[in-house]
Structures are given as C-alpha cells and as structure tokens.
C-alpha cells in the first residue's frame, strides 16, 4: 500500500512545525511529506529581524531554528525556491513554479497544509518601490536592509507605521546611529493600545530621541535624480530620508486559498475549526498568519499574526495530519514589545474592541513601579484595565513602563483565559520581594481600582 502524501505550502513556523510533528507520528513508509517554500530559508524567527538589524542579534543564522538540511534529514522532502501558484481541491493537487527556473509542474496530495503567512502592506504610492525603501517581512528583507544601511550616505531614517514593527525598527535604527522619524496615520503610535496608553509610548519615544508624528498619512516617497528615495511626503510636509522602512502592518496571504474557493473571514484569513481544519474540507488544514482564530474574550474571530500562535497551530495541525488529535482553543490577544528601554504590553480587548463586541465596561488606570519604591532602580509603569460592568469580568489590560513592566501582562493573560473577575484577581498569590515588586504588584493594584470602578457603576 502506497504511503499517503502530505503537502505543506510554506516553510516557516506553522508549515515546518506541522511537517515535523506529523513525521514524529508517522514514518516515511506511512506518510510522505513534501514541503514547498518560495524563499531561501526555513523555520526562522521573523520577530527577531529588528534585533538582528539593530545589532543585538549578531548574525542571521542565530534566527534560524532548523535548517533545510536538518528537515531533510528527518525525511521531509523540502523544496526551496519553489512557489505554489495554484491549489486544485477537486483533483487534490498543487501547481508549483521553480522561482529561479520558472518551470511549472503539478504535485498531488492526500492531505494539504496551507501555511502561507501574511503579506506586508505596501500601498500603491509614488516611489514606494524605489531603491532605499525597505520592508522587513523575511530574512532576505533583513539582509537587504542591512546592506542598504551600510551603503547609505546619510544617517536619516523614516519609519512608516507606528505599530509593533515600526517601533521595533525605530529602536534598531537608533542603535545604528540614525536620526529616526516615525510617521503614523493614527493620532498615537501602537494602535493596539488605547489612545491614552499610546500617548505614553509617544512621549517616551520622544524622550529617547525618536520623533513620532501622528495623523501623518503618507502620500508619496520622493526620489532623487537617480531614482533613489530621499524623502517621505505627508500632505504639505516632507521628511528627509536616506533610508525608508515600511512597518504599516500585514494582511493574511490567502490569494491561493481564495482562488481555490476556500472560506475566508472578514479580515481575509482562512476559516478553520478547532483542529485547524479548513471549514468544509476534511483533508486541508491551515494555520499561522493566514488564518483567523477565536477570540476567547469577545467570542468573535480575529487575525492575530504572531509567532507564538503559528508554532502552536503547526503542532496541532501536525498531530491531526499525522493521525493523532489536537485542538487550538483560541487566543486572548497577548503581545509584548519594546523600544529601547520602554516596554509595551497588551492582552484582551481595547475600549473600542469591547464596545464593538457589545460590552458595557469600566476602566481603571494606575501608576506604580517595577520594584519596591525604596529599592534601587525601581522603574515606573502604567497599568490600565477594562472590566465588564456588573460581572466585573476582566476584559483587557495594557502596560507601558520600563524594565520589569512588559511580562507582567502574562498575569492578566492567564486571568482572561480563566475568565476571572478583577475581584478574584486581587487575591492572586503572586511572588513578592522588594527587588521584584512592591508589596502590591502593579497588576493587582490596577485590579483593585477596577473593582472600585465596577462597584461605583452599579
């Protein structure tokens, strides 16, 4: 009896995690695994690219968790520089193109994994594709940016977009000695936070020497006589630039899926069940940045492009495709980032998310420190919480502060997952010693204030 064939489209976190997990469960005689990747690398940390660009990570190879050779040694037929150009669900096959040779062929499958990730937004503006304008989606992008920084004749950088990638790239460029301006359409950076918390980020970035301009809609990239980017234009204002970095955000890369007639959600991500199986297709799975997932707080679906989820999706998919059983329950929307020594974290719903989901809620915001106030180097932090009116259930938390602030969001993430109320949170038995926390941890102080707000609103 011939072995079944599992075809994987995409060779990064989800795709190769799925392939590896399936191989652990079934040997080559039972399951043939073929993986297609259009790029040069597999199983790498895209999240680490800003830290490689900034010099914190010394080399590209440190970002690679498993090389193509290591995957092939596990009996996974990995084909680099091979792009999947079509999915034929009726005949159970995919069409591929050799990126370098341009030849095309069809490969049949019994089971299919779609792990195509997300594509960076690149608006059709004049000059957007000019030399000197860089994205930071993959390792090739990171290398191109590093080469561009080395070749640049000036030290002025403009980052377009004030989200996670934007603020992380601002830090990378500051570390490399550039004068950095961040342009963002929103009034405040980090639109994953509420505006009042985003304002704290903007003020802190200004203190680090980074100019942040809100309400700045980019209309063009101005080029010099040689066609190279020299300025970013917003309305009547030009911001000189020797280097332009795009950090506008991403969208699910689901063009193949859409053409194949697979179901997509509001954000364009593939729709799957708890086993990460594409709805209506028993032998097709999808995961990572190309899918929408269940939000455990709002009960809706959302697109959350994070490496943590991508790896978990791959494990679930590999278990199911390999003949086992696993599910992915959903997310609460936890993310953490930094720019220099400023830490930024969030989990759950923002005010506008809660309102859109139909919740009535109260908010509480407190100022505290990372350690006991008398202990050396105690750093300030601001914690904001949202709680449901009446029940007091935690709906979301945001933290902006210095060292020791960011990972405190994990306490709130666990509370959200468990469906805890803010009153229940106040009794959490968290670790305490002056070098690590005040007697009342800042998260618990915020929870206490949220309890008061809930009671006052009754």
């Amino acid at each position: 009896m011939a072995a079944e064939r599992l075809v994987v489209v995409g060779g990064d976190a989800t795709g190769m995690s799925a392939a590896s997990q399936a191989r652990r469960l079934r040997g080559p005689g039972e399951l043939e695994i073929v993986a297609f990747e259009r790029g040069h690398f597999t199983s790498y940390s895209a999240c680490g690219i800003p830290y490689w660009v900034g010099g914190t990570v010394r080399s590209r190879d440190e970002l690679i968790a498993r090389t193509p050779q290591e995957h092939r040694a596990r009996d996974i037929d990995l084909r680099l520089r091979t792009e999947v150009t079509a999915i034929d669900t009726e005949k159970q096959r995919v069409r591929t193109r050799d990126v370098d040779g341009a030849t095309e062929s069809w490969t049949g499958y019994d089971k299919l994994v779609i792990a195509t990730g997300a594509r960076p937004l690149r608006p059709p503006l004049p000059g957007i594709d000019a030399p000197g304008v860089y994205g930071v989606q993959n390792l090739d992008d990171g290398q191109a940016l590093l080469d561009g920084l080395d070749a640049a004749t000036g030290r002025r950088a403009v980052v377009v977009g004030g989200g996670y990638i934007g603020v992380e790239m601002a830090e990378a460029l500051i570390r490399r000695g550039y004068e950095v301006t961040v342009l963002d359409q929103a009034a405040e950076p980090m639109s994953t936070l509420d505006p009042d918390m985003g304002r704290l980020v903007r003020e802190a970035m200004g203190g680090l020497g980074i100019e942040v301009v809100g309400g700045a809609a980019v209309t063009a990239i101005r080029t010099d006589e040689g066609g190279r980017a020299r300025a970013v234009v917003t309305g009547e204002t030009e911001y000189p630039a020797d280097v332009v970095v795009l950090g506008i955000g991403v969208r699910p890369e689901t063009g193949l899926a859409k053409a194949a007639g697979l179901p997509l959600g509001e954000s364009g991500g593939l729709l799957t069940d708890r086993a990460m199986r594409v709805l209506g297709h028993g032998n097709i799975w999808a995961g990572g940045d190309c899918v929408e997932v269940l939000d455990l707080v709002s009960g809706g679906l959302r697109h959350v492009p994070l490496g943590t989820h991508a790896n978990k999706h791959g494990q679930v998919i590999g278990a199911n495709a390999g003949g086992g059983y696993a599910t992915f329950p959903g997310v609460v929307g936890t993310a953490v980032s930094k720019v220099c020594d400023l830490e930024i974290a969030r989990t759950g719903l923002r005010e506008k998310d809660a309102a859109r989901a139909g919740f009535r809620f109260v908010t509480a915001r407190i100022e505290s420190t990372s350690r006991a106030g008398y202990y050396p180097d105690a750093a300030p932090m601001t914690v904001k919480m949202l709680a449901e009116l009446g029940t007091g259930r935690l709906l979301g938390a945001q933290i902006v502060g210095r060292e020791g602030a960011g990972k405190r969001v994990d306490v709130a993430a666990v509370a959200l997952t468990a469906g805890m109320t803010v009153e229940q949170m106040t009794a959490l038995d968290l670790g305490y010693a002056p070098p690590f926390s005040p007697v009342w941890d800042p998260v618990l102080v915020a929870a206490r204030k949220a309890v008061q707000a809930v009671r006052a609103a009754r």
Side-chain angles (χ1 to χ4, degrees):
M1 182 176 177
E4 286 188 308
R5 178 182 289 162
L6 172 65
V7 168
V8 178
V9 184
D12 199 9
T14 298
M16 298 319 294
S17 291
S20 298
Q21 179 67 4
R23 174 57 74 226
R24 291 186 190 100
L25 295 176
R26 298 180 68 186
E30 298 178 294
L31 184 67
E32 177 190 0
I33 303 176
V34 181
F36 297 109
E37 167 55 44
R38 65 186 176 189
H40 295 91
F41 307 96
T42 60
S43 301
Y44 61 88
S45 172
C47 302
I49 293 173
Y51 307 107
W52 168 38
V53 172
T56 303
V57 175
R58 290 171 296 178
S59 74
R60 178 184 64 198
D61 290 349
E62 292 182 39
L63 299 181
I64 299 173
R66 190 164 291 162
T67 65
Q69 293 77 14
E70 289 173 313
H71 285 300
R72 290 169 182 147
R74 296 182 174 212
D75 293 303
I76 296 171
D77 181 3
L78 174 61
R79 305 179 191 180
L80 296 177
R81 304 294 289 159
T82 306
E83 181 178 16
V84 174
T85 57
I87 298 171
D88 183 343
T89 60
E90 183 176 343
K91 295 184 178 180
Q92 294 192 180
R93 60 180 185 168
V94 298
R95 186 176 66 208
T96 60
R97 180 179 67 89
D98 182 334
V99 173
D100 298 313
T103 58
E104 292 192 338
S105 61
W106 288 94
T107 302
Y109 65 82
D110 298 294
K111 300 177 178 180
L112 177 67
V113 176
I114 301 174
T116 46
R119 67 182 183 277
L121 293 176
R122 203 175 183 99
L125 300 175
I128 196 73
D129 294 319
V133 180
Y134 301 92
V136 283
Q137 181 72 4
N138 54 46
L139 293 185
D140 288 329
D141 294 336
Q143 188 62 62
L145 174 55
L146 280 170
D147 294 342
L149 293 174
D150 289 340
T153 56
R155 310 298 289 179
R156 297 170 301 182
V158 173
V159 177
V160 181
Y164 292 109
I165 293 297
V167 300
E168 288 169 359
M169 289 309 306
E171 173 183 353
L173 294 163
I174 281 284
R175 287 185 176 277
R176 292 183 66 88
Y178 276 73
E179 297 177 17
V180 180
T181 299
V182 176
L183 305 178
D184 197 36
Q185 275 192 309
E188 304 293 351
M190 294 301 294
S191 59
T192 53
L193 305 177
D194 287 324
D196 60 323
M197 297 295 281
R199 188 177 308 115
L200 299 179
V201 175
R202 173 174 54 81
E203 292 169 353
M205 289 176 70
L208 295 168
I210 300 169
E211 181 185 10
V212 181
V213 183
V218 174
T219 55
I221 308 295
R222 192 83 71 205
T223 57
D224 60 21
E225 60 276 6
R228 185 176 182 82
R230 66 171 179 83
V232 179
V233 182
T234 62
E236 301 298 319
T237 307
E238 283 195 11
Y239 297 88
D242 302 293
V243 172
V244 179
V245 178
L246 303 178
I248 306 172
V250 298
R251 291 290 181 270
E253 181 64 273
T254 50
L256 279 175
K258 182 178 182 180
L262 300 179
L264 305 181
E266 287 187 10
S267 70
L270 275 155
L271 299 178
T272 71
D273 60 18
R274 292 289 187 97
M276 306 307 300
R277 186 179 285 104
V278 175
L279 297 182
H281 297 267
N283 65 336
I284 304 178
W285 290 263
D289 293 356
C290 66
V291 303
E292 295 184 9
V293 294
L294 175 65
D295 185 315
L296 295 174
V297 186
S298 71
L301 295 174
R302 60 186 298 194
H303 179 234
V304 187
L306 287 174
T308 50
H309 304 151
N311 279 282
K312 292 172 186 173
H313 293 170
Q315 291 291 307
V316 170
I317 292 169
N320 292 313
Y325 174 70
T327 62
F328 182 77
V331 304
V332 295
T334 308
V336 64
S337 186
K338 65 182 283 291
V339 53
C340 299
D341 66 342
L342 180 71
E343 299 182 5
I344 308 159
R346 55 98 64 208
T347 189
L349 307 181
R350 299 165 296 179
E351 290 189 32
K352 66 180 182 180
D353 301 324
R356 186 183 303 120
F359 288 110
R360 295 181 63 197
F361 59 91
V362 296
T363 65
R365 185 172 132 171
I366 62 98
E367 312 289 332
S368 187
T369 56
S370 58
R371 302 180 170 97
Y374 56 80
Y375 195 88
D377 300 322
M381 76 174 72
T382 302
V383 182
K384 179 178 181 178
M385 281 190 179
L386 279 69
E388 185 180 15
L389 194 66
T391 68
R393 180 167 73 104
L394 179 69
L395 296 178
Q398 300 165 34
I399 304 175
V400 175
R402 306 291 171 171
E403 182 185 4
K407 287 294 284 180
R408 274 184 162 87
V409 79
D410 289 342
V411 175
V414 172
L416 282 167
T417 304
M420 295 179 68
T421 67
V422 286
E423 188 162 6
Q424 288 171 328
M425 288 183 67
T426 63
L428 288 174
D429 186 10
L430 304 185
Y432 160 70
F436 303 104
S437 170
V439 173
W440 279 90
D441 188 90
V443 171
L444 300 190
V445 175
R448 289 177 65 183
K449 189 168 182 179
V451 169
Q452 295 170 4
V454 170
R455 288 175 179 169
R458 284 175 181 165

